[in-house]
Amino acid sequence: ASFNGLIAFGMTCVILADGIDLSVGSVFALSAVICAELIMMGMPAIVCICGALIAGTLMGVVSGLLVTKGRLQPFIATLVTMTAYRGLAKILTDAKPISRLAESLTSGSFLFKALGKGNLVPIFAKNIKFPIPAVILLLSFAIFYFMLNKTTYGRKVYATGSNAKCANLVGVNTQKIKISTYAISGFMSALAGLMMISRVNDFDNLYLIPHGCNIFFEYEDKPGVIAKLSGILSISGINIADIRAPQVKTGAFPRSLAAIKTDTEVSDEL
């Protein structure tokens, strides 16, 4: 749940800025590959972790540039990067697992292990343990809540997503805001990928890059309002709502599905 939650925080920023990021699963995987490759090259744990986080952030920036400077629709731009990053991850690993990562570290193996399966033990209650992934998730929640609700940057993100033209007129650089949200999404996906390989101690394409699920359906909300949902939930290896495609049927819209674009038509009766 911690891995999915971290990715969801990053995706939240992108959606608030009127975008979508389908590449989070591939960024998740490629960042993990980069960390694993650096470990196999004999780099210290801190270098491997920082390298993967920087790489994930840069991957998000690429998606943001395609959307803003390239003037591509977010769905198309991130579909391209999703495919490219997934392919690059498989090329770098030759589609083979990389195992025993912690044992391969020359220094800092404790830091690498703690990231995914460590525990914080309070001094006053040594029989209580707080998993580090859960602690990181809660800290991320607090940071994102403060950033989006209490800072100028957060208000700019909301303004960009609400009406980009008006935001531009009042001096908000909407292009930079959108690029930054994709960068945040890439960073959070990379962090989730690091926590995953730390927890399982290896990298395997089979579980890090499974096939995404594509969902097309319509939902009748109430009399007089027809919501045509022609969205796609295709978050590569990460299914935030933990829903499989066969479970979604026409006319049954799970309320927990957030990464769906909607196009609402209101009937003449209203």
Side-chain angles (χ1 to χ4, degrees), residues 11-29:
M11 180 71 80
T12 297
C13 292
V14 175
I15 293 175
L16 287 176
D18 193 29
I20 193 70
D21 190 357
L22 304 182
S23 67
V24 289
S26 297
V27 174
F28 173 96

Side-chain angles (χ1 to χ4, degrees), residues 34-52 101-109 112:
I34 291 172
C35 180
E37 292 292 339
L38 290 174
I39 290 174
M40 301 309 292
M41 291 169 59
M43 297 291 180
I46 187 66
V47 174
C48 301
I49 292 172
C50 291
L101 294 174
E103 292 78 1
S104 302
L105 279 167
T106 56
S107 63
S109 60
F112 179 75

Side-chain angles (χ1 to χ4, degrees), residues 76-137:
I76 300 301
T78 56
L79 184 64
V80 170
T81 53
M82 178 190 76
T83 306
Y85 298 155
R86 177 188 298 178
L88 186 56
K90 291 187 176 181
I91 290 172
L92 290 176
T93 60
D94 197 23
K96 295 179 182 178
I98 303 175
S99 57
R100 301 182 64 83
L101 294 174
E103 292 78 1
S104 302
L105 279 167
T106 56
S107 63
S109 60
F110 172 77
L111 176 63
F112 179 75
K113 291 179 181 178
L115 188 62
K117 49 189 175 184
N119 295 290
L120 291 180
V121 181
I123 299 176
F124 56 87
K126 294 186 178 181
N127 59 333
I128 300 177
K129 296 181 180 180
F130 297 98
I132 288 180
V135 172
I136 293 175
L137 179 67

